[in-house]
Amino acid sequence: MSNPLQRIIPLSPPEAHEFFQVHQVSHAFYEEVKHREELERYAQWYALTAQQHQRELEQMRGEFNLFRLFSRRR
């Protein structure tokens, strides 16, 4: 006796299965590329922001500290 479900739900052709596999792999690839590009943009932004903060810190260290006048430590 044959499988009764085969008459209800026919099996998909093998070409469709291969097509979906290729589609899934290509979709995963483009998602990975997108993720890596976003990560690279974030790393560049972070490096630029860190350099800017370093410059601002050096500039603040060179400025006169008004609060030192009111500090009890000398």
Side-chain angles (χ1 to χ4, degrees), residues 49-63:
T49 303
Q51 288 174 354
Q52 180 182 356
H53 288 170
Q54 288 293 325
R55 287 191 302 268
E56 291 172 358
L57 177 63
E58 290 303 317
Q59 181 183 2
M60 288 191 302
R61 285 182 177 163
E63 294 175 351

Side-chain angles (χ1 to χ4, degrees), residues 25-65:
V25 169
S26 64
H27 179 73
F29 172 77
Y30 286 115
E31 285 295 317
E32 180 69 21
V33 168
K34 179 181 169 186
H35 176 71
R36 289 182 185 206
E37 287 174 349
E38 289 173 358
L39 185 61
E40 182 63 29
R41 278 195 305 271
Y42 174 76
Q44 289 174 356
W45 170 84
Y46 190 87
L48 290 173
T49 303
Q51 288 174 354
Q52 180 182 356
H53 288 170
Q54 288 293 325
R55 287 191 302 268
E56 291 172 358
L57 177 63
E58 290 303 317
Q59 181 183 2
M60 288 191 302
R61 285 182 177 163
E63 294 175 351
F64 179 71
N65 189 353

